[in-house]
Amino acid sequence: MAQAHHLDRIDRILLWDVTVIGGGIAGLCAAIAARRGGAAVRLLEAAPRALRGGNARHGRNFRLTHETPLDYVPDRYTADELRAELRSVTGDDTDRALTELLIERAHSITGWLVAHGVHLQLPGTGVMPYSRRTAFPLGGGKAMINALYATADRLGIAISYDSEARSLLRSEGGGWTVSVRSAGADDQIRTRSVVVCAGGAGADPAWLRENFGSAAEGWMVRGTPYADGRLLDLLIAAGGCPIGDAATCHAVPVDARGPQFDGGIVTRITSIPLGLVVDRCGARIDVAGAGVLPTHYAKWGPRIAACPGQIAYLVLDARSLARAAPSALAPITAPTISELAVALQLDPAALQASIDHFNAAPANAAHAIAVPPFAAYPMRPGLTFVHFGIKVDATMRVVRADGSRHDDLFAAGMIMAANVLRRGYLAGLGITLSAVFGQIAGEEAARHVRG
Ligand SMILES: Cc1cc2nc3c(=O)[nH]c(=O)nc-3n(C[C@H](O)[C@H](O)[C@H](O)COP(=O)(O)OP(=O)(O)OC[C@H]3O[C@@H](n4cnc5c(N)ncnc54)[C@H](O)[C@@H]3O)c2cc1C
């Protein structure tokens, strides 16, 4: 079990070599790599222990390259394939050097995670689908996170939960002073270097409103509420150069009845190809080019975000509901379309007209909506991440607006993902990117303090 360290006991005495801010997958990989590089490492996690680990808690799988079948992934998935797929989503608008670094390390990151305690599911032994591009942590993302925390603890990394870094100031004579709020009290940590792994900037409603307008008030945030962008602001205030577009994001349809934050993957609505989607006026809405592929969920998030009230409804009949994946929240059901409309507070005539139109030529894999009972899911856009962050170089050092770089300030994970992903996404890339760049940041920070 990882021990929580109280700030006052150790931090008033010590000058840490490396302080890692954020205990998600990037922060854990950075902390472990720095410790293995010989550094005395402090890890600050804003969330309480039960919610530690950021969004990798919700993760299912992560991408890796391999030339031959491995124990935990069948067939092959080459670096050239990953390069081509990445290019198909990012185009030329990406940092080539960092992209190549990611592709190169996507080969070895799995071995590194396994060597640090992560167990992976063997293909064909569980309930996970065939995938040659991705590996599945055994027990899910939460088990992976727990394993890495156990390793961090065993290596002697000093971990604090409920410990939010609130400011970052240059210390006199070099290094940094990090102000931390922990258990309602403020304290300070002195450190030779800082690795910021505090996640992207999507979980602050005020920030979302500022960048996406008032429509963002109707959104839900699929991940941790603790990744609120404060550290990104602090890095920019420290001269760091922002990168990407603060007004573009990855979003998928989620159940509107789920929690505002941290609903994870279980509130995602995946059965859209089986039915009809209407807006709150009962009018049918569609997305050009969205079919049955899982990657097409991401086309629906922005479409729902553009609907009046940022809400839409998936309507199914008994047959399509029987084919749909089970959902965390049971659908709203009714014996007739007009009763369903009343339950959803939609205009019954408008809904019936949309269904009649749909039934004339059902789209995708759908049936006509004809067999009672009828069912519906209310859906909102669920934000996964924003394509905005801080610029870094190939050592994960934060780059200033004038092109110079901080020697002793590093950033890794979603906070710098926009260096590679300024648009689009590939399934399973978030964890790989965060683990790979976290590991590099930790190695480089340890190298820096060793001189
Ligand atoms: C619902 C969901 C499902 C996903 N599924 C997958 C998947 O299957 N495969 C995949 O590859 N990717 C997936 N992703 C993306 C992936 O989880 C992320 O890319 C990855 O976890 C990012 O890791 P990170 O460490 O950079 O940031 P985060 O996971 O956001 O972690 C940041 C950490 O920093 C802490 N923190 C924030 N501010 C402070 C502060 N001021 N002081 C101290 N600590 C702070 C937070 O508490 C948090 O623990 C998913 C994301 C979501 C939201």
Side-chain angles (χ1 to χ4, degrees):
M1 277 297 138
Q3 296 297 308
H5 287 258
H6 294 289
L7 291 171
D8 52 357
R9 265 202 250 133
I10 43 179
D11 294 296
R12 295 210 176 117
I13 313 160
L14 287 177
L15 170 65
W16 293 97
D17 289 334
V18 178
T19 295
V20 178
I21 300 175
I25 184 81
L28 284 163
C29 292
I32 291 170
R35 184 76 190 116
R36 295 202 74 97
V41 181
R42 191 79 174 92
L43 175 62
L44 300 171
E45 166 58 38
R49 190 181 185 285
L51 295 175
R52 67 185 183 178
N55 291 334
R57 282 174 303 137
H58 300 304
R60 235 167 51 115
N61 55 350
F62 62 88
R63 215 164 256 256
L64 70 161
T65 59
H66 55 113
E67 294 289 338
T68 54
L70 303 174
D71 284 350
Y72 37 79
V73 61
D75 299 332
R76 68 202 290 257
Y77 178 58
T78 64
D80 283 345
E81 286 179 275
L82 174 56
R83 187 175 293 110
E85 288 176 10
L86 259 172
R87 200 185 169 93
S88 74
V89 296
T90 65
D92 288 328
D93 191 13
T94 184
D95 182 317
R96 286 258 156 258
L98 285 175
T99 303
E100 284 306 316
L101 201 51
L102 174 63
I103 292 169
E104 183 194 318
R105 295 261 191 145
H107 178 65
S108 57
I109 193 64
T110 313
W112 192 90
L113 290 170
V114 168
H116 291 96
V118 174
H119 293 276
L120 298 174
Q121 171 114 27
L122 302 181
T125 59
V127 294
M128 297 307 177
Y130 166 87
S131 172
R132 68 186 178 94
R133 292 178 173 79
T134 62
F136 295 85
L138 185 65
K142 178 89 174 162
M144 173 172 71
I145 284 297
N146 286 345
L148 293 173
Y149 267 103
T151 298
D153 189 47
R154 202 172 53 250
L155 291 174
I157 293 166
I159 302 165
S160 290
Y161 303 108
D162 281 311
S163 297
E164 184 198 2
R166 294 179 64 85
S167 78
L168 206 53
L169 291 172
R170 273 259 166 243
S171 303
E172 273 179 37
W176 294 89
T177 300
V178 184
S179 297
V180 187
R181 179 159 297 170
S182 184
D186 289 325
D187 227 313
Q188 294 195 327
I189 285 179
R190 291 179 310 123
T191 181
R192 291 194 170 93
S193 67
V194 178
V195 183
V196 178
C197 301
D204 176 8
W207 190 91
L208 285 178
R209 208 167 33 248
E210 196 179 305
N211 290 286
F212 292 89
S214 57
E217 284 164 20
W219 296 9
M220 300 170 96
V221 175
R222 302 175 66 214
T224 176
Y226 295 94
D228 62 3
R230 175 189 286 268
L231 261 296
L232 183 54
D233 287 345
L234 291 180
L235 289 180
I236 294 169
C241 179
I243 194 161
D245 180 355
T248 60
C249 65
H250 179 277
V252 301
V254 295
D255 197 312
R257 299 163 299 169
Q260 175 67 29
F261 291 100
D262 235 358
I265 52 174
V266 295
T267 63
R268 194 175 58 172
I269 300 291
T270 57
S271 39
I272 287 180
L274 302 176
L276 160 72
V277 181
V278 296
D279 66 15
R280 72 176 182 192
C281 305
R284 178 177 181 176
I285 60 166
D286 256 318
V287 172
V292 295
L293 291 177
T295 46
H296 292 178
Y297 307 144
K299 294 179 189 266
W300 276 99
R303 181 66 188 88
I304 297 170
C307 285
Q310 297 77 52
I311 193 156
Y313 302 85
L314 170 64
V315 182
L316 304 164
D317 76 350
R319 287 175 305 175
S320 41
L321 187 61
R323 291 167 59 207
S327 54
L329 297 166
I332 296 163
T333 56
T336 64
I337 293 295
S338 65
E339 285 166 284
L340 186 70
V342 170
L344 301 174
Q345 298 182 320
L346 300 179
D347 174 11
L351 180 60
Q352 187 64 60
S354 293
I355 289 176
D356 291 343
H357 183 258
F358 175 82
N359 285 352
N364 293 323
H367 293 293
I369 297 170
V371 178
F374 300 99
Y377 291 99
M379 302 183 291
R380 285 196 179 277
L383 179 81
T384 320
F385 65 90
V386 180
H387 290 288
F388 183 63
I390 200 78
K391 188 170 168 61
V392 296
D393 70 5
T395 66
M396 304 304 128
R397 285 180 164 84
V398 172
V399 174
R400 297 191 190 88
D402 65 6
S404 65
R405 60 186 199 162
H406 282 279
D407 258 8
D408 49 6
L409 183 59
F410 303 78
M414 285 319 278
I415 198 165
M416 48 63 68
N419 286 268
V420 172
L421 282 175
R422 267 161 241 175
R423 69 174 85 110
Y425 185 59
L426 294 179
L429 199 70
I431 287 176
T432 302
L433 179 149
S434 303
V436 161
F437 291 143
Q439 190 194 344
I440 294 171
E443 289 165 358
E444 294 292 342
R447 191 166 296 143
H448 168 75
V449 296
R450 281 202 312 267

Short mmCIF file of all heavy atoms in Angstrom, two decimals, residues 1 4 53-54 64 87 89 119 143 173 189 197 200 205 232 260 271 273 285 297 300 331 342-343 347 396 418:
data_model
loop_
_atom_site.label_atom_id
_atom_site.label_comp_id
_atom_site.label_asym_id
_atom_site.label_seq_id
_atom_site.Cartn_x
_atom_site.Cartn_y
_atom_site.Cartn_z
N MET A 1 0.83 -1.21 0.00
CA MET A 1 0.00 0.00 0.00
C MET A 1 0.87 1.26 0.00
O MET A 1 1.79 1.39 0.81
CB MET A 1 -0.83 0.06 1.29
CG MET A 1 -2.10 -0.75 1.25
SD MET A 1 -3.27 -0.18 0.02
CE MET A 1 -3.79 -1.75 -0.62
N ALA A 4 0.76 7.68 2.52
CA ALA A 4 0.61 9.11 2.31
C ALA A 4 1.61 9.82 3.20
O ALA A 4 1.80 9.44 4.35
CB ALA A 4 -0.80 9.54 2.67
N GLY A 53 -4.88 8.80 -9.55
CA GLY A 53 -4.62 8.14 -10.84
C GLY A 53 -5.20 8.84 -12.05
O GLY A 53 -5.02 8.39 -13.17
N GLY A 54 -5.90 9.95 -11.86
CA GLY A 54 -6.40 10.72 -13.00
C GLY A 54 -7.30 9.88 -13.89
O GLY A 54 -8.04 9.01 -13.43
N LEU A 64 0.26 0.16 -28.75
CA LEU A 64 1.68 -0.21 -28.77
C LEU A 64 2.02 -0.71 -30.16
O LEU A 64 1.12 -1.14 -30.89
CB LEU A 64 1.97 -1.31 -27.75
CG LEU A 64 1.42 -2.70 -28.03
CD1 LEU A 64 2.16 -3.73 -27.22
CD2 LEU A 64 -0.06 -2.79 -27.76
N ARG A 87 -0.82 10.36 -38.82
CA ARG A 87 -0.84 11.40 -39.85
C ARG A 87 -2.25 11.61 -40.40
O ARG A 87 -2.64 12.73 -40.73
CB ARG A 87 0.12 10.99 -40.98
CG ARG A 87 0.54 12.15 -41.82
CD ARG A 87 1.39 11.70 -42.99
NE ARG A 87 1.55 12.81 -43.90
CZ ARG A 87 2.57 13.64 -43.86
NH1 ARG A 87 3.51 13.47 -42.98
NH2 ARG A 87 2.65 14.63 -44.71
N VAL A 89 -4.92 11.59 -38.75
CA VAL A 89 -5.71 12.46 -37.87
C VAL A 89 -5.08 13.83 -37.64
O VAL A 89 -5.79 14.82 -37.50
CB VAL A 89 -6.06 11.80 -36.50
CG1 VAL A 89 -6.94 10.60 -36.68
CG2 VAL A 89 -4.84 11.46 -35.68
N HIS A 119 -0.06 -5.67 -14.84
CA HIS A 119 -0.41 -6.95 -15.46
C HIS A 119 -1.31 -6.69 -16.66
O HIS A 119 -2.20 -5.83 -16.60
CB HIS A 119 -1.14 -7.86 -14.46
CG HIS A 119 -0.24 -8.29 -13.34
ND1 HIS A 119 0.62 -9.37 -13.45
CD2 HIS A 119 -0.05 -7.78 -12.11
CE1 HIS A 119 1.30 -9.49 -12.33
NE2 HIS A 119 0.91 -8.54 -11.49
N ALA A 143 -6.58 -0.93 -11.97
CA ALA A 143 -5.59 -1.92 -11.51
C ALA A 143 -4.18 -1.50 -11.96
O ALA A 143 -3.21 -1.66 -11.21
CB ALA A 143 -5.94 -3.30 -12.04
N GLY A 173 18.54 31.29 -5.80
CA GLY A 173 19.66 30.34 -5.89
C GLY A 173 19.34 29.12 -6.73
O GLY A 173 20.08 28.14 -6.69
N ILE A 189 7.14 23.44 -0.77
CA ILE A 189 8.12 22.39 -1.08
C ILE A 189 9.23 23.03 -1.89
O ILE A 189 8.96 23.75 -2.85
CB ILE A 189 7.42 21.26 -1.88
CG1 ILE A 189 6.55 20.43 -0.95
CG2 ILE A 189 8.43 20.39 -2.60
CD1 ILE A 189 5.82 19.32 -1.64
N CYS A 197 2.59 17.13 -14.44
CA CYS A 197 1.79 16.09 -15.12
C CYS A 197 0.35 16.22 -14.63
O CYS A 197 -0.28 15.24 -14.23
CB CYS A 197 2.32 14.70 -14.78
SG CYS A 197 4.03 14.43 -15.25
N GLY A 200 -4.89 17.73 -18.74
CA GLY A 200 -5.32 18.80 -19.64
C GLY A 200 -6.14 19.84 -18.88
O GLY A 200 -6.26 19.79 -17.66
N PRO A 205 -15.22 24.49 -15.31
CA PRO A 205 -16.37 25.01 -16.07
C PRO A 205 -16.15 26.45 -16.55
O PRO A 205 -16.54 26.80 -17.67
CB PRO A 205 -17.52 24.94 -15.06
CG PRO A 205 -17.12 23.87 -14.09
CD PRO A 205 -15.63 23.94 -14.00
N LEU A 232 -1.51 24.49 -16.01
CA LEU A 232 -1.24 25.02 -17.35
C LEU A 232 -1.11 26.54 -17.27
O LEU A 232 -0.18 27.13 -17.83
CB LEU A 232 -2.38 24.60 -18.29
CG LEU A 232 -2.23 24.99 -19.75
CD1 LEU A 232 -0.92 24.51 -20.34
CD2 LEU A 232 -3.40 24.44 -20.56
N GLN A 260 -21.83 14.94 -13.50
CA GLN A 260 -21.25 16.05 -14.26
C GLN A 260 -19.75 15.79 -14.55
O GLN A 260 -19.25 16.14 -15.60
CB GLN A 260 -21.42 17.34 -13.46
CG GLN A 260 -20.77 18.58 -14.05
CD GLN A 260 -21.44 19.02 -15.35
OE1 GLN A 260 -22.62 18.79 -15.54
NE2 GLN A 260 -20.66 19.61 -16.24
N SER A 271 -24.87 3.00 -28.67
CA SER A 271 -25.80 2.30 -29.57
C SER A 271 -26.47 3.23 -30.59
O SER A 271 -27.50 2.86 -31.16
CB SER A 271 -26.84 1.55 -28.74
OG SER A 271 -27.24 2.29 -27.62
N PRO A 273 -25.79 3.88 -33.70
CA PRO A 273 -26.05 3.32 -35.04
C PRO A 273 -27.31 2.45 -35.11
O PRO A 273 -27.80 2.17 -36.20
CB PRO A 273 -24.81 2.47 -35.31
CG PRO A 273 -23.75 3.02 -34.43
CD PRO A 273 -24.46 3.52 -33.20
N ILE A 285 -31.66 14.43 -36.11
CA ILE A 285 -30.34 14.97 -36.43
C ILE A 285 -29.44 13.83 -36.88
O ILE A 285 -29.61 12.69 -36.47
CB ILE A 285 -29.70 15.75 -35.26
CG1 ILE A 285 -29.51 14.87 -34.02
CG2 ILE A 285 -30.48 17.00 -34.93
CD1 ILE A 285 -28.59 15.50 -33.00
N TYR A 297 -17.99 7.74 -32.56
CA TYR A 297 -18.62 8.39 -31.40
C TYR A 297 -18.17 9.84 -31.32
O TYR A 297 -18.92 10.73 -30.94
CB TYR A 297 -18.23 7.75 -30.07
CG TYR A 297 -18.44 6.27 -29.96
CD1 TYR A 297 -17.55 5.48 -29.25
CD2 TYR A 297 -19.54 5.65 -30.55
CE1 TYR A 297 -17.73 4.12 -29.12
CE2 TYR A 297 -19.72 4.28 -30.44
CZ TYR A 297 -18.80 3.52 -29.73
OH TYR A 297 -18.97 2.19 -29.62
N TRP A 300 -20.15 12.43 -32.98
CA TRP A 300 -21.44 12.78 -32.40
C TRP A 300 -21.32 13.79 -31.26
O TRP A 300 -22.25 14.57 -31.03
CB TRP A 300 -22.16 11.52 -31.91
CG TRP A 300 -22.91 10.84 -33.02
CD1 TRP A 300 -22.50 9.75 -33.75
CD2 TRP A 300 -24.19 11.21 -33.54
NE1 TRP A 300 -23.44 9.43 -34.69
CE2 TRP A 300 -24.50 10.31 -34.59
CE3 TRP A 300 -25.11 12.21 -33.25
CZ2 TRP A 300 -25.68 10.39 -35.32
CZ3 TRP A 300 -26.28 12.29 -33.98
CH2 TRP A 300 -26.56 11.39 -35.00
N PRO A 331 -32.40 2.61 -19.87
CA PRO A 331 -33.06 3.58 -20.75
C PRO A 331 -34.44 3.95 -20.20
O PRO A 331 -35.01 3.22 -19.39
CB PRO A 331 -33.19 2.82 -22.08
CG PRO A 331 -33.15 1.38 -21.70
CD PRO A 331 -32.27 1.28 -20.48
N VAL A 342 -43.70 12.10 -24.06
CA VAL A 342 -44.09 12.81 -22.83
C VAL A 342 -43.02 12.60 -21.76
O VAL A 342 -42.59 13.55 -21.08
CB VAL A 342 -45.49 12.33 -22.34
CG1 VAL A 342 -45.79 12.88 -20.95
CG2 VAL A 342 -46.56 12.75 -23.34
N ALA A 343 -42.53 11.36 -21.63
CA ALA A 343 -41.50 11.08 -20.61
C ALA A 343 -40.23 11.88 -20.88
O ALA A 343 -39.51 12.26 -19.94
CB ALA A 343 -41.19 9.58 -20.58
N ASP A 347 -42.20 17.02 -28.06
CA ASP A 347 -43.50 17.15 -28.72
C ASP A 347 -43.84 15.80 -29.38
O ASP A 347 -43.12 15.37 -30.29
CB ASP A 347 -43.39 18.27 -29.75
CG ASP A 347 -44.65 18.38 -30.59
OD1 ASP A 347 -45.67 17.74 -30.24
OD2 ASP A 347 -44.60 19.09 -31.62
N MET A 396 11.13 16.99 -22.87
CA MET A 396 9.94 17.38 -22.09
C MET A 396 10.17 18.67 -21.30
O MET A 396 9.41 19.01 -20.41
CB MET A 396 9.44 16.27 -21.13
CG MET A 396 9.14 14.98 -21.82
SD MET A 396 7.93 15.19 -23.13
CE MET A 396 8.78 14.41 -24.50
N ALA A 418 -0.96 18.28 -26.97
CA ALA A 418 -1.22 19.06 -28.18
C ALA A 418 0.04 19.28 -29.01
O ALA A 418 -0.04 19.69 -30.17
CB ALA A 418 -1.86 20.40 -27.82
#
